[in-house]
Amino acid sequence: MSVDVLRFVQTFGGSLITGQAIALETDYQRSSALLLGVLLLMAGEDIDRLVERLVEENRALRELLGAGADLLGAGEVATDLQVLAAEIDPGLRITALQAANDRLRRGLIRLHAAVEDLAGGAARAFEDRLWAELARSVERRRLVMSPF
Amino acid sequence: MEDLARRFVLWAGQQMPAARDLRVEGLARIHGGASRETWRLALEWVEDGQRRRRPLILRRDPVGSLIETDRRVEYAAYRAFHGSDVPVPEPLWLESDPQWLDRPFFVMEQIEGFESSPQVLVTPPCSDHAQALGRRKWSILATIASADPGKLGLTEVLPAVDPGSCWRRELDYWEGVLDEDERTPQPIARALIRRLRRNPPAAPARVAVVHGDFRTGNFLFDRAGTIHAILDWEMAHLGDPLEDLAWSLNPVWEFARDGRSGGLLLREEAIAVWEDARGERADRAALAWWELFACVKGQAIWVSAGREFLEGTNKDPVNAFSAWAVGVSQDRGALRLMGRLAS
């Protein structure tokens, strides 16, 4: 029988929060255990969706970087963005997906800065697209346990 | 822990030559922020034939830190405001020699019997006094903003800055922290930095003492709605007083999750209290700049916490929580301020 990872982190996270996991003597130990429990519940929330989130976001970022490269036209930034936009996720390993996500988000920062320097309505409209994707990226990462 | 108590007694004996039979009771670590180890204890001794007891707080430099600041700044701020209208614990000793407790530390009076937890503040019976606590909180902040740094002796400790350079110095510093500590890209914080540089704020009329971390969670209160001490001055500096006001309004401190700043007052109510107490209107455009800056500063702090955790220099779970959960909330807060939040 394999261990259900979600069940594991939710069970032990809950145990730490309610103080059932281990007997602790000091307030500091108890509050640290509570926070560890919260972190385990957060991990459980994220484990369930992480691959889907990274695949979805990497796809969205590649589309955006490709469109951004077209908007910028020629130049080093546009060329680099086209290379990034043409990448394909190497599989479903979280480490590989996360590394790709980091590369793409660095590209997004370069694209955003370049678009801000462009004049005209098309550039402003594209900025709105960039901010909309940034808003979606935050919503994808939002946790039940987040402060707000 | 016994070793720490024993070594503290040895050190205290050097500071109090008239004291005999010193001992430490009730030594316990408490959550006082991940930036400095905080310990609660009572020092007991015999002096002039009488047994004496004093509850103390020991703040020791950590191995790894959220915020790399000089403990001298925090100690000097406590010393400057002790006995003033800004309630703070009495600072007692500053020790920079690591031979005693492995790392530098300072010792201050322990103000017993009060709370600092935001979770306690936003639940009954404390939440019944949110208005009173909020009025007092932002009145105290106005008092700090109106204090004369020179008369307080703080210009000898805190680096000088001219009014027109306040914003640039702070933005340069926190951008540098992001450059050094980020382990994954921060596209929202980077966009904010570019925007802030393109649209600098008006300079303040005069440079003020800035607490640097004035927020719910960093003051002691009772369950009847009174604030007894402002804590955690480790990021104190000279600068624009709107920096503190904006930081206090940072959306990540909305602990009651109902839009009230610091879980106490609506944003405009808090600003009005600050303005009334200060006798001066806050420049709304400049305040908006500092509110976005607060999102950059916040993200830089959460990113630093994440680096400490990932590199194992400080494995306190609060570092992981800050980097992960608060970091996401900080980005949401920035988007909301810019009118870019999808929901």
Side-chain angles (χ1 to χ4, degrees):
Chain A
M1 187 182 90
S2 63
V3 176
D4 179 335
V5 177
L6 273 181
R7 175 68 70 87
F8 175 88
V9 294
Q10 286 164 352
T11 301
F12 290 107
S15 298
L16 283 166
I17 288 171
T18 57
Q20 293 170 341
I22 38 177
L24 297 167
E25 292 178 357
T26 69
D27 286 347
Y28 183 80
Q29 290 169 331
R30 280 189 288 273
S31 58
S32 292
L34 191 148
L35 199 48
L36 284 171
V38 168
L39 284 162
L40 277 176
L41 294 189
M42 285 165 51
E45 188 181 350
D46 222 29
I47 286 167
D48 195 32
R49 66 185 184 184
L50 186 53
V51 170
E52 182 183 60
R53 189 251 285 172
L54 286 167
V55 168
E56 178 188 319
E57 185 163 296
N58 289 354
R59 187 186 304 132
L61 286 172
R62 287 186 183 106
E63 284 176 18
L64 203 52
L65 298 188
D70 292 343
L71 180 72
L72 295 178
E76 184 186 338
V77 176
T79 305
D80 290 349
L81 296 180
Q82 278 163 350
V83 171
L84 282 171
E87 280 186 359
I88 297 168
D89 281 331
L92 295 178
R93 289 253 178 189
I94 290 169
T95 47
L97 289 170
Q98 185 62 58
N101 189 257
D102 288 352
R103 283 195 301 278
L104 292 165
R105 277 161 69 86
R106 281 190 203 97
L108 184 71
I109 292 170
R110 291 181 74 195
L111 171 61
H112 202 160
V115 171
E116 285 167 354
D117 288 338
L118 292 179
R124 299 293 75 76
F126 198 81
E127 260 193 88
D128 288 341
R129 276 184 70 184
L130 289 165
W131 279 109
E133 172 50 32
L134 287 172
R136 281 192 291 274
S137 77
V138 171
E139 293 306 311
R140 289 185 197 108
R141 288 165 174 75
R142 194 177 178 188
L143 296 151
V144 170
M145 295 290 179
S146 289
F148 104 101
Chain B
M1 205 181 297
E2 283 174 16
D3 184 53
L4 182 63
R6 181 185 62 76
R7 294 167 74 186
F8 186 83
V9 163
L10 285 175
W11 171 82
Q14 299 284 317
Q15 316 307 313
M16 306 163 64
R20 298 284 176 270
D21 191 21
L22 284 96
R23 64 177 184 231
V24 162
E25 294 290 330
L27 178 69
R29 187 164 176 192
I30 58 174
H31 277 290
S35 51
R36 195 154 279 144
E37 257 182 35
T38 307
W39 298 80
R40 178 174 55 206
L41 62 107
L43 185 64
E44 296 185 354
W45 73 97
V46 174
E47 190 171 335
D48 300 330
Q50 287 194 318
R51 185 104 210 136
R52 298 168 196 264
R53 179 180 185 276
R54 184 146 203 202
L56 301 173
I57 292 289
L58 164 65
R59 297 264 282 164
R60 180 165 70 158
D61 284 15
V63 176
S65 171
L66 273 186
I67 307 150
E68 292 169 19
T69 49
D70 194 324
R71 80 213 60 81
R72 284 186 312 118
V73 166
E74 185 170 17
Y75 189 84
Y78 281 121
R79 193 177 55 193
F81 283 102
H82 182 249
S84 76
D85 291 338
V86 178
V88 295
E90 181 183 4
L92 298 168
W93 294 287
L94 175 66
E95 180 57 71
S96 46
D97 188 341
Q99 69 155 314
W100 297 102
L101 302 180
D102 297 329
R103 284 164 262 147
F105 60 93
F106 72 87
V107 178
M108 62 184 180
E109 163 195 23
Q110 182 188 155
I111 300 178
E112 293 181 293
F114 303 115
E115 307 274 359
S116 64
S117 161
Q119 287 69 39
V120 172
L121 186 135
V122 298
T123 50
C126 292
S127 57
D128 298 337
H129 304 288
Q131 280 284 324
L133 281 165
R135 282 194 296 273
R136 182 69 181 127
K137 173 183 168 180
W138 276 283
S139 295
I140 291 171
L141 182 58
T143 305
I144 295 170
S146 302
D148 183 331
K151 284 184 180 166
L152 290 169
L154 286 172
T155 47
E156 295 165 21
V157 183
L158 305 176
V161 62
D162 67 82
S165 302
C166 294
W167 71 269
R168 185 180 292 108
R169 187 179 71 174
E170 292 307 308
L171 190 56
D172 286 351
Y173 176 78
W174 290 107
E175 184 180 18
V177 172
L178 267 178
D179 290 344
E180 193 167 332
D181 290 348
E182 76 173 12
R183 291 295 175 267
T184 55
Q186 300 293 327
I188 292 176
R190 297 295 177 179
L192 293 186
I193 290 168
R194 294 191 301 273
R195 181 187 176 112
L196 291 168
R197 289 200 185 283
R198 283 196 303 269
N199 305 284
R206 58 197 167 277
V207 167
V209 179
V210 177
H211 177 283
D213 196 10
F214 192 91
R215 63 174 176 86
T216 295
N218 279 344
F219 56 82
L220 293 176
F221 57 92
D222 63 29
R223 292 176 182 236
T226 302
I227 291 176
H228 294 270
I230 304 298
L231 306 173
D232 290 329
W233 292 76
E234 59 209 271
M235 290 198 287
H237 57 276
L238 301 179
D240 189 325
L242 291 180
E243 182 189 341
D244 258 346
L245 179 59
W247 182 249
S248 75
L249 303 172
N250 188 336
V252 297
W253 315 133
E254 289 178 10
F255 296 105
R257 297 187 180 210
D258 61 1
R260 284 179 297 153
S261 296
L264 295 169
L265 298 180
L266 293 172
R267 179 179 177 279
E268 286 303 321
E269 291 175 333
I271 296 168
V273 170
W274 186 88
E275 289 176 330
D276 287 348
R278 196 146 189 264
E280 215 174 284
R281 185 171 160 74
D283 177 331
R284 290 302 197 273
L287 180 60
W289 189 97
W290 284 105
E291 285 184 88
L292 280 185
F293 165 79
C295 296
V296 173
K297 172 177 166 176
Q299 197 59 267
I301 292 172
W302 318 135
V303 159
S304 286
R307 179 186 171 181
E308 300 284 0
F309 180 78
L310 290 172
E311 294 186 353
T313 46
N314 186 338
K315 295 176 185 170
D316 192 317
V318 76
N319 280 328
F321 184 81
S322 298
W324 191 359
V326 189
V328 172
S329 289
Q330 190 65 80
D331 274 346
R332 290 192 88 240
L335 290 168
R336 192 178 73 185
L337 287 174
M338 297 180 73
R340 300 279 189 181
L341 193 61
S343 57

